[in-house]
Amino acid sequence: MGMTMTQKILAAHAGLDKVTAGQLIEADLDLVLGNDVTAPVAIHEMEKMKIKKVFHKDKIALVPDHFTPNKDIKSAEHCKCVREFAQDQDITNYFEIGEMGIEHALLPEKGLVVAGDVVIGADSHTCTYGALGAFSTGVGSTDMAAGMATGKAWFKVPSALKFVLTGKPAKWVSGKDVILHIIGMIGVDGALYKSMEFVGDGIKNLSMDDRFAMANMAIEAGAKNGIFPVDDLAIQYIKDHSNKEYKIYEADEDAEYDEVYEIDLSSLKPTVAFPHLPENTRTIDEVGDVKIDQVVIGSCTNGRIDDLRVAAKILEGRKVAKGLRVIIFPATQKIYLQAMEEGLLATFIKAGAVVSTPTCGPCLGGHMGILAAGEKAVATTNRNFVGRMGHVDSEVYLASPAVAAASAVTGKISGPQELGL
């Protein structure tokens, strides 16, 4: 049998002609990523290993984004640890406050990941870069330490699921709705340690921001990674953002897949994941009357410019429901500036929302929007586990920017159609 796209990338980086599912390999790394939560642990592990220098100062990215701007003394100490390590090691891609962004939006924007790369990151949503045709996956901090020291990592080659996408999404249906539909269909362990490989003519109807959102949430289905073919849109994105050489890998025609799913994008509706798992999905017409206390628009899933444009289009000329808190997080400084220049921030503020500097913030229950007991939030984030955004008795409903913005106006979970849009 032939190899999948993921397997071809791993084989090339392991110096092998062929790999098969379940095989253990050691692969060369193109990039190693850490943030202010995970990198300090990796740094301390490197110290225990008595490693004096990283394998390549240009192939490590350190992004303090989770508890930044520093929310307390402990987070300040973590960031100081990362900052001093970056200075000591002369790390090229260390991004301080003012030039940083949420890591999984920032790295593609900075051109640090291109098609054909193998990337590990000490953050589970490192799988985002599969949108560019790269193999990228999350690892623990000790694996990050080993990667920084050696430039290599070991993997068990994953088997694959194939998702054949056809058709064109309806108005207000985005990549977030597609991936929530898929997770609702296969479950949070439906792709456990497998590669989710997206193919089909429908991909041409998905923007890069749609694809980033879908690859980002592959981990919510338990996947090792998610990956898209490298088409003209992806190539243009790479050329616009990076000077790195890229390589396109394509699955063999006789590649083996554990399952093949066919999804007509035109049949999908805006979708919401109810507490407390991303698989608890309902289409917008099945939601019922769910009053909310907070709306969060942003994160590494949905804080990109397309996401903010959709939210602004819905909030334009409208007001946030009385008593509701709406917090908007542009994912990077560049996106923040672009949103400002396009007038999106003015729209948000006039509507009654607040706009934050780029940060992961409330997504992981960090800061900038923590929920109290009994509170409910609609969020464009990626996880809604018990206590994820605050108190264990709070609830998070995952949705697209369109649903989040409409809900901000009505004060309950709503689709744009309820506003006559």
Side-chain angles (χ1 to χ4, degrees):
M1 299 296 289
M3 290 186 288
T4 66
M5 185 176 175
T6 290
Q7 289 165 359
K8 281 193 170 182
I9 295 172
L10 289 175
H13 283 72
L16 301 172
D17 293 330
K18 183 177 176 61
V19 295
T20 56
Q23 182 177 347
L24 298 179
I25 62 168
E26 185 177 70
D28 293 330
L29 301 173
D30 295 294
L31 191 68
V32 179
L33 166 69
N35 56 51
D36 51 310
V37 175
T38 59
V41 179
I43 292 165
H44 296 323
E45 288 301 314
M46 275 193 68
E47 291 170 353
K48 292 178 188 176
M49 295 160 63
K50 302 191 184 304
I51 299 295
K52 299 299 183 184
K53 281 292 179 182
V54 298
F55 84 103
H56 199 305
K57 71 183 186 69
D58 298 336
K59 294 187 176 183
I60 291 164
L62 298 173
V63 186
D65 63 351
H66 277 52
F67 293 101
T68 55
N70 302 340
K71 84 176 186 76
D72 54 23
I73 294 171
K74 193 68 176 176
S75 61
E77 290 173 344
H78 284 166
C79 289
K80 183 183 178 186
C81 171
V82 178
R83 184 180 303 115
E84 290 179 345
F85 177 81
Q87 291 170 348
D88 177 66
Q89 296 287 328
D90 193 27
I91 301 297
T92 304
N93 297 303
Y94 167 73
F95 299 98
E96 187 57 88
I97 299 300
E99 60 178 356
M100 59 76 80
I102 301 174
E103 56 197 327
H104 306 309
L106 184 68
L107 266 56
E109 179 184 281
K110 293 291 186 180
L112 298 183
V113 183
V114 297
D117 279 354
V118 168
V119 180
I120 62 169
D123 185 274
S124 58
H125 291 104
T126 302
C127 51
T128 304
Y129 318 132
L132 295 170
F135 172 81
S136 57
T137 194
V139 298
S141 291
T142 50
D143 283 320
M144 178 192 169
M148 288 197 298
T150 68
K152 297 179 183 294
W154 73 270
F155 301 100
K156 184 174 76 170
V157 177
S159 61
L161 302 180
K162 186 177 185 179
F163 295 87
V164 183
L165 308 180
T166 61
K168 183 178 181 180
K171 187 178 182 182
W172 306 122
V173 173
S174 68
K176 181 63 164 290
D177 300 297
V178 179
I179 193 63
L180 286 177
H181 170 80
I182 289 172
I183 296 168
M185 179 174 65
I186 68 174
V188 293
D189 59 355
L192 192 60
Y193 207 92
K194 300 178 190 291
S195 173
M196 295 176 71
E197 312 231 347
F198 301 101
V199 301
D201 291 341
I203 288 176
K204 69 177 181 291
N205 298 314
L206 297 173
S207 70
M208 285 308 303
D209 287 356
D210 285 327
R211 300 177 199 186
F212 282 126
M214 290 174 64
N216 175 270
M217 288 191 68
I219 184 63
E220 269 66 57
K224 183 67 174 176
N225 69 304
I227 197 163
F228 281 80
V230 184
D231 61 7
D232 290 344
L233 186 62
I235 291 171
Q236 191 59 55
Y237 182 96
I238 292 167
K239 289 180 176 178
D240 288 344
H241 292 85
S242 184
N243 294 319
K244 287 180 61 177
E245 187 176 336
Y246 63 90
K247 186 169 182 179
I248 298 173
Y249 293 87
E250 296 179 349
D252 292 324
E253 288 188 10
D254 60 344
E256 188 174 4
Y257 300 93
D258 291 349
E259 298 284 347
V260 177
Y261 299 92
E262 296 188 5
I263 298 171
D264 179 2
L265 299 178
S266 68
S267 70
L268 304 186
K269 300 177 181 178
T271 301
V272 179
F274 274 50
H276 290 283
L277 287 173
E279 69 182 14
N280 294 336
T281 56
R282 302 183 194 179
T283 54
I284 195 66
D285 54 325
E286 300 171 331
V287 164
D289 187 17
V290 181
K291 292 183 172 58
I292 55 174
D293 303 285
Q294 179 167 292
V295 169
V296 173
I297 299 174
S299 82
C300 62
T301 315
N302 285 126
R304 297 176 180 82
I305 194 65
D306 283 356
D307 303 314
L308 301 186
R309 287 170 179 157
V310 166
K313 188 171 184 179
I314 292 169
L315 290 171
E316 180 73 48
R318 296 181 171 86
K319 290 289 186 181
V320 167
K322 192 71 174 175
L324 188 69
R325 311 183 299 274
V326 179
I327 313 170
I328 297 174
F329 297 86
T332 68
Q333 287 286 76
K334 183 179 180 180
I335 293 169
Y336 193 115
L337 181 60
Q338 186 174 354
M340 182 174 69
E341 291 171 345
E342 292 184 14
L344 308 184
L345 303 191
T347 295
F348 297 145
I349 293 168
K350 288 176 182 177
V354 296
V355 182
S356 164
T357 187
T359 180
C360 297
C363 175
L364 71 156
H367 61 137
M368 297 292 291
I370 305 307
L371 298 175
E375 291 191 317
K376 298 178 180 180
V378 171
T380 67
T381 55
N382 42 46
R383 287 182 180 157
N384 58 350
F385 307 147
V386 173
R388 173 71 180 182
M389 197 172 281
H391 198 280
V392 293
D393 290 329
S394 63
E395 294 182 349
V396 176
Y397 297 77
L398 304 178
S400 68
V403 169
S407 302
V409 175
T410 64
K412 62 180 183 177
I413 301 178
S414 306
Q417 293 86 348
E418 294 182 50
L419 301 177
L421 296 172

